[in-house]
Amino acid sequence: MYILGIRADKVDEDLIKRLIDNQVQENKSLDYKRDLNISKDKDKKEFLYDISAMYNTDGGCFVFGIEELKDTNGQNTGKPDKITGIVLDNFDKLTQQIEDIVKNSSEPSITQLILNELEIDTKKILIIGVPKGLGLPAMVTYNQTNKFYKRRNSGKFPVDVYELNQMFMQNQVLAEKANDFRNNRLDKVLKKEFLPNLKIDTSYFIHIIPYSFLDSKFVNLSLAKEKLKLEMKPLNAHGWDNMFNIDGYAAFSTTSDRTEISSYNQLFRNGIYEAYSSEMFYETRHQNKLGFDGKHLIEETLNLIKNGFFILNQMEVEPPFLISFSFHNVLGKILDNDRSYYSKAFTQKKIVFPLIQIDNYDINVYERLKPNFDILYQALGFEESPKIE
């Protein structure tokens, strides 16, 4: 959702005039439109085909209110000619209308659009920034339509079954690479190659991995210190310090004697967010074993992910995400609550739960992660995890 490297919400009058003066050609990530028509069913379909095509390709921007230069046959050349403007009486109402149309008529729902209104020489133009779809390809579902589109430099086109298969395969490959990153990272941290003074008696990890982590675009860490110092609270921490490191930016807390790091949050330069704690387990009164409070762990996990989403959104990291959590060095540990005498002990040294896809920032994370919480409880002899309000 960028024009010449500028994000859609930062595009200004000078940039638009540069496009026209230099006759910057349309491409897969840039499209000029003279009019914005979404009142009739036919127009809505075309609008949705355009949006989904850009989403399914590389993302980019539509600029409404610019007429294209014509060739000798009267055909559009893809080069901007002049600002004609569009009728735009109520920007907030239009924004809501467009977001609703796109969200409710695409599957998976396309969200996180950026709309930017500009007035240039008394004429209004509208910029719509469309994110790059890195998860499953989006299908247009308006009025029982079931079509997939992509873009080439000259515009959109419907994909055939072979290209559609490649689009789905891309999603699988990204998930596999995310899983490889997680496994390699777990190995590195637990071998103390990341933090030599890390406490690893028992370990709990949470990973939020954006599908964009393989892109060359990095998080702007110059904003991190001011924006995130108070937000990056490690799990079970009452006080913490922050620091830049080779991987990005981190917050960490220590044991009471300050000899070991007990919890940390790490924001990587590629947008991955990792949380770690060795403080989730404690000595219980049952069976003289270490255990954890299941409801507290679920609540802490959800709060950590909520804060992580806030941070990633502030850093302009776009969804979708893959989320997981995992336990290490937990052989023989139990679940400690009112029914602990029913609890079995962990029979494995580590449990790494499946990666769960989160399509956008607005999704109910608890509902998506509950199957993993249920697996955790079932591994310890219970029917399901407790309900969290």
Side-chain angles (χ1 to χ4, degrees):
M1 53 178 73
Y2 295 81
I3 301 177
L4 302 181
I6 306 299
R7 192 171 140 114
D9 52 344
K10 304 293 194 305
V11 172
D12 58 14
E13 177 180 344
D14 290 340
L15 180 56
I16 296 300
K17 288 184 174 180
R18 277 175 56 199
L19 294 176
I20 297 173
D21 292 342
N22 297 321
Q23 293 198 331
V24 175
Q25 180 86 30
E26 283 183 339
N27 53 54
K28 288 191 291 186
S29 300
L30 177 62
D31 198 330
Y32 304 111
K33 302 284 187 184
R34 188 185 67 179
D35 304 307
L36 174 62
N37 299 313
I38 53 173
S39 58
K40 299 178 180 178
D41 282 355
K42 179 181 69 173
D43 297 330
K44 285 180 182 176
K45 276 189 179 181
E46 285 302 313
F47 178 75
L48 288 163
Y49 294 158
D50 283 331
I51 295 291
S52 65
M54 191 164 282
Y55 176 86
N56 287 334
T57 309
D58 292 326
C61 291
F62 293 94
V63 185
F64 293 89
I66 291 184
E67 186 169 0
E68 292 178 42
L69 191 67
K70 302 290 192 296
D71 62 18
T72 55
N73 296 318
Q75 300 297 312
N76 288 334
T77 62
K79 296 178 180 179
D81 183 24
K82 59 185 177 181
I83 297 173
T84 54
I86 61 172
V87 177
L88 211 170
D89 296 325
N90 188 323
F91 176 68
D92 291 337
K93 183 178 179 180
L94 178 63
T95 297
Q96 188 64 56
Q97 183 184 9
I98 288 174
E99 289 178 346
D100 288 346
I101 290 172
V102 174
K103 181 178 180 180
N104 296 328
S105 301
S106 57
E107 186 179 340
S109 294
I110 299 174
T111 59
Q112 311 300 319
L113 297 177
I114 293 177
L115 280 77
N116 182 8
E117 174 192 19
L118 293 177
E119 185 169 328
I120 303 176
D121 300 330
T122 73
K123 296 175 181 177
K124 292 184 177 180
I125 68 170
L126 177 69
I127 300 153
I128 299 182
V130 181
K132 179 180 179 180
L134 292 169
L136 294 171
M139 176 176 65
V140 174
T141 60
Y142 183 74
N143 274 2
Q144 299 182 335
T145 302
N146 296 287
K147 292 185 177 181
F148 293 87
Y149 279 82
K150 288 190 72 174
R151 277 184 66 86
R152 55 172 67 96
N153 287 339
S154 57
K156 63 181 179 292
F157 65 94
V159 301
D160 59 28
V161 65
Y162 301 105
E163 187 149 20
L164 184 60
N165 181 63
Q166 285 186 325
M167 293 163 72
F168 277 95
M169 288 296 294
Q170 178 189 21
N171 180 76
Q172 182 178 340
V173 169
L174 282 167
E176 290 173 354
K177 289 185 180 297
N179 192 54
D180 289 343
F181 167 85
R182 178 185 62 170
N183 292 340
N184 292 333
R185 177 67 181 177
L186 292 173
D187 185 62
K188 181 177 181 179
V189 172
L190 293 172
K191 286 181 178 178
K192 296 190 176 185
E193 294 175 5
F194 171 55
L195 291 170
N197 60 333
L198 184 67
K199 182 181 178 184
I200 58 171
D201 297 346
T202 57
S203 301
Y204 180 60
F205 287 89
I206 301 171
H207 283 97
I208 305 175
I209 305 176
Y211 268 70
S212 59
F213 81 104
L214 291 176
D215 288 356
S216 57
K217 181 176 177 288
F218 290 143
V219 170
N220 184 0
L221 291 177
S222 64
L223 303 175
K225 186 172 183 180
E226 298 303 322
K227 284 192 173 185
L228 308 180
K229 187 173 183 180
L230 298 178
E231 301 296 336
M232 290 181 65
K233 176 183 179 297
L235 288 163
N236 280 353
H238 299 290
W240 62 94
D241 295 308
N242 301 73
M243 65 178 182
F244 289 96
N245 57 25
I246 193 169
D247 291 312
Y249 189 73
F252 61 95
S253 62
T254 60
T255 55
S256 56
D257 60 7
R258 300 189 68 83
T259 59
E260 294 180 295
I261 291 176
S262 56
S263 299
Y264 71 80
N265 292 349
Q266 174 72 49
L267 173 62
F268 289 82
R269 300 177 196 279
N270 60 6
I272 291 176
Y273 196 72
E274 176 181 86
Y276 171 88
S277 179
S278 63
E279 301 293 315
M280 302 305 294
F281 289 80
Y282 52 85
E283 189 171 335
T284 71
R285 293 174 298 172
H286 306 281
Q287 305 175 32
N288 296 318
K289 292 182 177 180
L290 289 181
F292 69 98
D293 182 326
K295 188 173 182 180
H296 173 72
L297 181 139
I298 293 173
E299 290 173 341
E300 284 287 290
T301 298
L302 295 174
N303 286 334
L304 188 286
I305 293 171
K306 178 182 177 181
N307 287 345
F309 276 180
F310 173 81
I311 290 164
L312 294 174
N313 202 4
Q314 290 285 303
M315 297 292 101
E316 300 180 354
V317 178
E318 297 168 6
F321 302 97
L322 290 168
I323 293 181
S324 78
F325 53 91
S326 59
F327 294 91
H328 303 263
N329 298 324
V330 293
L331 179 64
K333 311 301 188 295
I334 65 168
L335 173 66
D336 182 34
N337 63 12
D338 293 338
R339 298 185 297 160
S340 289
Y341 51 89
Y342 290 122
S343 178
K344 299 177 182 177
F346 281 116
T347 59
Q348 298 171 249
K349 187 176 180 180
K350 69 176 181 179
I351 302 179
V352 180
F353 290 85
L355 291 160
I356 301 294
Q357 181 168 319
I358 305 295
D359 294 318
N360 56 67
Y361 284 117
D362 300 324
I363 205 165
N364 188 320
V365 175
Y366 170 63
E367 288 183 359
R368 294 302 297 271
L369 290 184
K370 188 165 191 310
N372 275 359
F373 295 137
D374 289 343
I375 291 172
L376 169 63
Y377 267 70
Q378 289 161 3
L380 295 166
F382 298 96
E383 182 178 349
E384 64 176 355
S385 62
K387 299 289 190 297
I388 303 296
E389 300 297 332

